[in-house]
């Protein structure tokens, strides 16, 4: 008998038990912000090596920043979180070119969204003021 993992079943079970990994009302818990910010500091790379730190930087962008910023863009009631903006600023100053470039691309994407007032496919932003506020915070922190 050979057992193989079933990613689809695991994903379905996680969704059923824990809910979706992305929800427009989700927020970063305040007590988690300093812990995540420490992962973006150069000291983390010195302690754990550059390969791990690069991976962690990319995962912070994909798993923390993008869902949070997407919630601001897609939920008219969701305001920007200054703690997540501070994390983004740390990633823009990362010692790794790839992480810095990805962080700057994220900021540029939301700046373009704020300028156009639209989500993808020409849909209007639910609250363009919140997206403009997010971009202003990102620019100030950079």
């Amino acid at each position: 008998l050979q057992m193989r993992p079933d990613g689809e079943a695991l994903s379905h079970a996680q969704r059923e038990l824990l809910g979706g990994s992305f929800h427009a009302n989700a927020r970063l818990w305040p007590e988690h912000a300093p812990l995540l910010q420490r992962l973006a500091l150069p000291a983390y790379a010195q302690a754990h090596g550059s390969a791990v730190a690069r991976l962690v930087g990319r995962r912070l962008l994909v798993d923390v920043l993008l869902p949070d910023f997407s919630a601001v863009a897609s939920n008219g009631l969701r305001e920007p979180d200054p703690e997540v903006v501070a994390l983004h600023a740390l990633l823009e100053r990362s010692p790794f070119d790839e992480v810095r470039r990805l962080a700057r691309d994220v900021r540029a994407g939301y700046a373009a969204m704020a300028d156009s007032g639209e989500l993808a496919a020409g849909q209007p932003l639910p609250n363009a003021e919140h997206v403009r506020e997010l971009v202003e915070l990102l620019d100030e922190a950079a």
Side-chain angles (χ1 to χ4, degrees):
L1 176 67
Q2 182 180 6
M3 303 251 333
R4 285 188 251 160
D6 183 349
E8 188 176 328
L10 179 61
S11 177
H12 178 71
Q14 178 183 6
R15 208 174 231 340
E16 288 296 314
L17 295 172
L18 304 174
S21 57
F22 168 76
H23 189 278
N25 291 320
R27 287 192 174 272
L28 180 64
W29 290 4
E31 60 269 22
H32 290 175
L35 301 173
L36 293 171
Q37 289 170 0
R38 274 188 257 159
L39 295 175
L41 294 173
Y44 183 82
Q46 292 169 351
H48 299 284
S50 62
V52 171
R54 253 194 311 276
L55 175 64
V56 167
R58 288 193 315 260
R59 295 316 316 171
L60 287 170
L61 282 162
V62 172
D63 297 334
V64 179
L65 293 177
L66 285 177
D68 190 85
F69 292 172
S70 294
V72 172
S74 63
N75 179 348
L77 301 177
R78 178 72 155 70
E79 295 178 355
D81 184 342
E83 295 293 340
V84 179
V85 171
L87 177 59
H88 181 270
L90 289 171
L91 293 170
E92 277 197 335
R93 293 189 293 273
S94 169
F96 306 108
D97 292 337
E98 176 187 8
V99 174
R100 282 194 312 269
R101 182 181 48 76
L102 289 171
R104 290 177 183 147
D105 288 349
V106 167
R107 180 161 46 109
Y110 281 90
M113 193 182 299
D115 290 341
S116 72
E118 296 179 342
L119 292 167
Q123 297 176 332
L125 289 167
N127 190 330
E129 183 58 36
H130 286 168
V131 176
R132 281 192 293 277
E133 181 184 347
L134 172 63
V135 171
E136 288 172 9
L137 289 171
L138 291 170
D139 290 342
E140 288 171 11

